[in-house]
Amino acid sequence: MLSSPLIRQQSALLRRRQLGRPPVIFAPRTQCRGRHFVSPLAHGEKFARDGVGQMLSPEGFDMAWTQYQGYMVQRLNELTAGRPDEGTKVRDLIIKYARNADTAALFNYASMAHNNHFMFSTLTPTPQPLPKICSKNFLTNIDIAFSSFESLRETFLATAASMFGPGFTWLVKENPSQKMSILNTYLAGSPYPGAHWRKQPDDAATTDFGVIPNSNTRWAPNMSAGAVGKFSRGSPMAPGGANLDVLMCVSTWEHTWLRDWGVAGKREYLEAWWGSIDWRVVEANGGGAGSAGGAPRTRDY
């Protein structure tokens, strides 16, 4: 990589940790007795105290997780208060409202809360080399899809770095083939097949009601009549969807990395994120064994 005075080196992240705490951007002004809550992270206390390795300073973590996740959950509680969905799991809300342009705000806050949590739940303050903690089957699937672990790294980081705008880059595994692939979702887009009624690149919630952009295909937000057919109650998967497991993701939203890495530091942020991944959790998210002691999957909430 060509060096440039505009690109911060990772060591600068440590120097910035001496700064005082940033102003609190999110502070609840009203009490909302909602049933959704900020799901605790396995290493949340350490991240808040020390930051996330070389990826985020304590101040950066405070903004990207504590403040941002708190705001997403508060808005979700406000939008579901007093409704039948008040106690519904966030992932179920995403699937339910992916077809409904009238509730785009509810979908967006639910999806962002889920995606942000998914990323932080796969991070660890003590990363270990992949071959030592994952199963042979998991490593074989990586080799089949990407030829090598290093090729996966380079392809994944290049894909995330090339996203011109906010969103998430995901590692997913198709079923039943077990084939791994990389998927981009923009803004609050969801990787789950049941949510693909909302066309990811164009977001049908912001276009003419009932029409997928650049297509002659009609889509019915609340279409659930009938017992058979691709739009029926028995077929929750959108046309063209695939049955897949979500393994891990990284956020390209500027609020996540801009404070610690600066305007030109997106690639360096992504490399630091890669060095903070808990591969045991990643494998467990796909139904794998993880380490000998097992690792918890990223849980829905």
Side-chain angles (χ1 to χ4, degrees):
M1 178 181 293
L2 295 177
S3 61
S4 166
L6 295 178
I7 299 179
R8 302 174 59 229
Q9 300 301 315
Q10 289 189 16
S11 59
L13 175 60
L14 298 177
R15 293 197 294 271
R16 291 196 59 160
R17 294 187 180 183
Q18 303 303 317
L19 297 176
R21 292 187 66 82
V24 177
I25 298 175
F26 164 68
R29 290 171 292 183
T30 59
Q31 294 295 323
C32 180
R33 291 180 175 270
R35 296 189 180 183
H36 298 105
F37 57 93
V38 176
S39 186
L41 300 173
H43 308 290
E45 292 184 2
K46 183 171 180 58
F47 289 161
R49 183 179 65 250
D50 302 327
V52 186
Q54 295 294 310
M55 175 186 169
L56 293 174
S57 67
E59 296 80 16
F61 175 78
D62 178 69
M63 178 175 292
W65 172 256
T66 306
Q67 294 188 49
Y68 192 82
Q69 192 72 3
Y71 178 66
M72 293 297 103
V73 172
Q74 176 178 295
R75 291 291 292 123
L76 186 58
N77 279 323
E78 292 171 354
L79 292 170
T80 57
R83 300 178 52 160
D85 299 318
E86 190 173 27
T88 303
K89 286 185 177 181
V90 173
R91 178 171 171 175
D92 293 338
L93 290 175
I94 295 170
I95 304 303
K96 179 177 180 178
Y97 289 109
R99 304 190 192 195
N100 197 337
D102 289 342
T103 54
L106 196 158
F107 170 88
N108 288 335
Y109 284 114
S111 189
M112 279 302 298
H114 175 278
N115 295 354
N116 199 46
H117 171 261
F118 204 101
M119 181 186 77
F120 278 99
S121 70
T122 59
L123 301 179
T124 177
T126 55
Q128 300 181 49
L130 178 66
K132 294 184 178 180
I133 59 175
C134 290
S135 68
K136 182 178 180 180
N137 181 64
F138 184 74
L139 298 174
T140 299
N141 286 336
I142 290 178
D143 289 342
I144 292 174
F146 302 99
S147 75
S148 68
F149 177 69
E150 184 59 29
S151 178
L152 165 63
R153 178 185 181 278
E154 290 303 317
T155 304
F156 196 102
L157 296 183
T159 302
S162 66
M163 287 186 69
F164 193 79
F168 292 83
T169 299
W170 305 79
L171 180 64
V172 300
K173 183 184 71 173
E174 297 180 21
N175 293 313
S177 69
Q178 304 291 297
K179 181 181 179 181
M180 294 182 181
S181 58
I182 297 171
L183 170 70
N184 280 345
T185 59
Y186 291 86
L187 299 175
S190 173
Y192 296 110
H196 288 176
W197 300 91
R198 184 178 302 273
K199 191 174 175 67
Q200 305 296 317
D202 301 288
D203 196 348
T206 62
T207 62
D208 291 339
F209 185 80
V211 180
I212 294 180
N214 305 319
S215 171
N216 293 323
T217 304
R218 301 288 297 180
W219 69 294
N222 292 310
M223 178 67 75
S224 59
V228 297
K230 64 182 181 180
F231 295 105
S232 69
R233 288 188 299 269
S235 180
M237 190 177 299
N243 182 14
L244 53 81
D245 290 323
V246 178
L247 306 184
M248 69 178 187
C249 70
V250 64
S251 172
T252 63
W253 281 76
E254 287 83 353
H255 69 265
T256 306
W257 55 271
L258 197 60
R259 185 189 187 280
D260 281 331
W261 295 95
V263 174
K266 182 179 178 182
R267 174 73 190 203
E268 285 70 26
Y269 150 75
L270 292 171
E271 292 175 351
W273 162 78
W274 188 269
S276 299
I277 296 171
D278 188 337
W279 289 101
R280 297 179 310 149
V281 176
V282 173
E283 181 178 5
N285 285 340
S291 65
R297 292 186 58 161
T298 298
R299 79 185 164 94
D300 297 329
Y301 71 102

